[in-house]
Amino acid sequence: GLGGGAPFRIVVTSGNQLTLEFTASNALLQKTGISPNSPLQQKIAALKGTKVAVFSPGDTQSQLVNFITKKYGIDTASVDLVLTQNAANQLAAFQKGVVDVMLV
């Protein structure tokens, strides 16, 4: 058992992998011609000029976008980070077409 049924809290969880994935809207896929078989470089290049939903400035999502764009030579200023604060707002923005990409 857990020590006589006393309440407990999980204070921290950890992992050795980042589990975020870029999810592009159908409109962006049609506009750019990206498909599941497209080369990674082409998929990353499609981020240029998009609006990407992230929770807040400097969070893991925004850091991943900045890392990927820099790694693949895309001007980070060409990707507009839209702050959504939480997953519910992020999904709503994606569904309404306010953003082109979200990270899940």
Side-chain angles (χ1 to χ4, degrees):
L2 295 173
F8 67 94
R9 290 185 188 202
I10 297 173
V11 178
V12 66
T13 61
S14 65
N16 62 0
Q17 297 181 35
L18 184 60
T19 58
L20 292 173
E21 296 179 4
F22 288 82
T23 302
S25 68
N26 287 332
L28 179 62
L29 296 175
Q30 290 172 355
K31 176 182 169 185
T32 59
I34 297 296
S35 75
N37 298 325
S38 298
L40 180 60
Q41 180 74 31
Q42 186 180 1
K43 291 175 182 178
I44 301 296
L47 289 172
K48 188 174 183 178
T50 62
K51 292 182 179 182
V52 178
V54 298
F55 290 170
S56 60
D59 70 358
T60 304
Q61 294 176 335
S62 63
Q63 289 181 37
L64 178 60
V65 173
N66 288 333
F67 173 80
I68 292 294
T69 53
K70 287 177 184 175
K71 179 175 178 161
Y72 288 88
I74 298 168
D75 180 10
T76 56
S78 72
V79 177
D80 185 17
L81 299 181
V82 178
L83 308 180
T84 61
Q85 300 301 315
N86 60 53
N89 292 343
Q90 189 175 65
L91 181 59
F94 185 75
Q95 289 174 327
K96 293 179 180 184
V98 174
V99 296
D100 306 298
V101 176
M102 68 177 185
L103 293 131
V104 294

